[in-house]
């Protein structure tokens, strides 16, 4: 069990003022068996706070609007979470969406021939293995096929492109694992969150992403192919979706012709239990 303190700052600066901006935020961790929320705040100076609700996937969503002219937007998230290692199994997370929804690929997760070959090779001889063992094999195959290397891909890189390149970031590992799992008939989805890590040689982004695979008898189980492990008490789960865009912590629309400059900083530290 750990107590993690998180500070997540997102800054948008526009070269011409926007008339207005509306955003939805999936920035509040839900309470479940692996995490318990303590103090938590989302601050956006000058924002008009709108509706807040729990979506069908069990994730907490809030909305806000900034009336113009808007030259800059700073979204500041601060809080602490007590985490527990559940071996990656998502327990006590209330949702109503059927896992079968996550059998359908999206453009970033669509399996080409190479991804299907990776799936078949990973599962060779595993016909009698359970779904959990098959998911572990797929995670290991993605970890081996795509080396973790920062700044080697971009927001629109697909799973197929990352596999061809043989390197990528956590987003690419998550997309590729979703792709091969769906090709094997296993529902899989993209998860965003935070990671506390001070170990050398791993994927150490404080803002992190991984995949969840639906396993009969267990439900959703997390797999972090970038770090070759299942999420433990170093991880804080924010939300999920079919791919990175669908699961984005911040989504928005704006009115205006200005281009934006985006800066994101995330700091995750451990504090002593009280």
């Amino acid at each position: 069990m750990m107590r993690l303190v998180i500070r997540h700052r997102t800054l948008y600066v526009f070269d011409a003022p926007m008339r207005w901006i509306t955003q939805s935020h999936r920035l509040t961790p839900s309470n479940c068996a692996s995490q318990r929320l303590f103090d938590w705040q989302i601050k956006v100076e000058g924002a008009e706070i709108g509706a807040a609700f729990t979506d069908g996937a069990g994730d907490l969503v809030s909305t806000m609007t900034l009336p113009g002219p808007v030259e800059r937007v700073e979204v500041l998230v601060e809080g602490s979470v007590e985490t527990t290692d559940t071996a990656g199994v998502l327990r006590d997370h209330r949702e109503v969406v059927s896992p079968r929804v996550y059998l359908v690929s999206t453009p970033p997760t669509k399996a080409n021939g190479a991804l299907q070959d990776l799936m078949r090779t990973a599962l060779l001889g595993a016909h009698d293995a359970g779904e959990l063992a098959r998911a572990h094999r797929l995670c290991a195959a993605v970890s081996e096929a795509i080396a973790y290397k920062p700044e080697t891909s971009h927001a629109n890189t697909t799973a197929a492109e990352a596999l061809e390149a043989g390197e990528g970031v956590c987003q690419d590992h998550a997309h590729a694992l979703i792709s091969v799992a769906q090709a094997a008939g296993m529902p899989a989805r993209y998860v965003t969150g935070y990671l506390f890590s001070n170990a050398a040689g791993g994927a150490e982004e404080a803002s992190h992403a991984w995949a969840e695979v639906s396993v009969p008898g267990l439900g959703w189980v997390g797999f972090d192919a970038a770090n070759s492990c299942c999420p433990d008490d170093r991880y804080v789960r924010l939300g999920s979706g079919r791919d990175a865009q669908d699961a984005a912590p911040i989504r928005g629309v704006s009115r205006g012709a200005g281009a934006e400059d985006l800066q994101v900083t995330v700091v995750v530290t451990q504090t002593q239990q009280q």
Side-chain angles (χ1 to χ4, degrees):
M1 185 176 293
M2 301 177 70
R3 177 76 67 85
L4 300 178
V5 178
I6 295 158
R7 189 177 192 273
H8 178 182
R9 177 177 178 265
T10 305
L11 177 65
Y12 302 85
V13 179
F14 305 100
D15 62 1
M18 293 291 179
R19 297 180 187 177
W20 53 261
I21 293 174
T22 297
Q23 291 182 341
S24 67
H25 296 160
R26 196 183 278 112
L27 288 167
T28 303
S30 60
N31 288 309
C32 58
S34 61
Q35 58 191 36
R36 183 162 63 100
L37 198 63
F38 284 88
D39 55 298
W40 197 265
Q41 290 185 325
I42 303 173
K43 300 176 183 177
V44 185
E45 186 176 350
E48 299 174 357
I49 306 303
F53 58 93
T54 300
D55 66 14
D59 300 325
L60 303 176
V61 181
S62 59
T63 60
M64 73 88 186
T65 299
L66 273 168
V70 182
E71 296 181 351
R72 68 194 302 273
V73 180
E74 181 183 69
V75 181
L76 182 61
V77 180
E78 295 179 301
S80 61
V81 183
E82 183 181 81
T83 59
T84 302
D85 186 359
T86 60
V89 180
L90 184 63
R91 298 193 182 103
D92 302 331
H93 181 74
R94 298 183 179 180
E95 56 185 292
V96 296
V97 174
S98 169
R100 295 183 62 83
V101 169
Y102 301 98
L103 282 169
V104 180
S105 67
T106 64
T109 64
K110 185 175 178 60
N112 65 354
L115 283 161
Q116 291 174 355
D117 288 343
L118 181 66
M119 177 273 294
R120 283 190 287 265
T121 300
L123 299 183
L124 190 64
H127 301 294
D128 296 331
E131 293 293 276
L132 181 61
R134 288 160 57 87
H136 276 289
R137 284 193 175 210
L138 292 173
C139 182
V142 170
S143 296
E144 184 175 348
I146 302 176
Y148 176 77
K149 191 172 182 180
E151 301 179 3
T152 53
S153 61
H154 51 78
N156 296 319
T157 298
T158 66
E161 290 169 342
L163 179 61
E164 182 179 8
E167 58 189 22
V169 296
C170 59
Q171 173 178 299
D172 304 308
H173 289 92
H175 280 160
L177 182 49
I178 292 167
S179 180
V180 295
Q182 290 176 341
M186 305 172 71
R189 65 187 180 186
Y190 191 98
V191 179
T192 59
Y194 305 110
L195 170 63
F196 171 72
S197 176
N198 54 11
E204 298 182 10
E205 301 156 302
S207 181
H208 200 50
W210 58 95
E212 287 177 343
V213 179
S214 181
V215 177
L218 286 176
W220 289 107
V221 181
F223 293 89
D224 182 3
N227 280 304
S228 301
C229 69
C230 289
D232 52 29
D233 55 2
R234 299 170 299 158
Y235 291 71
V236 175
R237 185 187 189 278
L238 273 181
S240 63
R242 296 180 301 164
D243 54 32
Q245 181 178 0
D246 194 38
I250 299 176
R251 301 179 68 177
V253 294
S254 58
R255 183 71 179 272
E260 71 176 31
D261 177 61
L262 174 64
Q263 303 172 27
V264 181
T265 57
V266 179
V267 177
V268 181
T269 56
Q270 183 182 10
T271 187
Q272 295 294 325
Q273 297 283 357
Q274 301 295 319

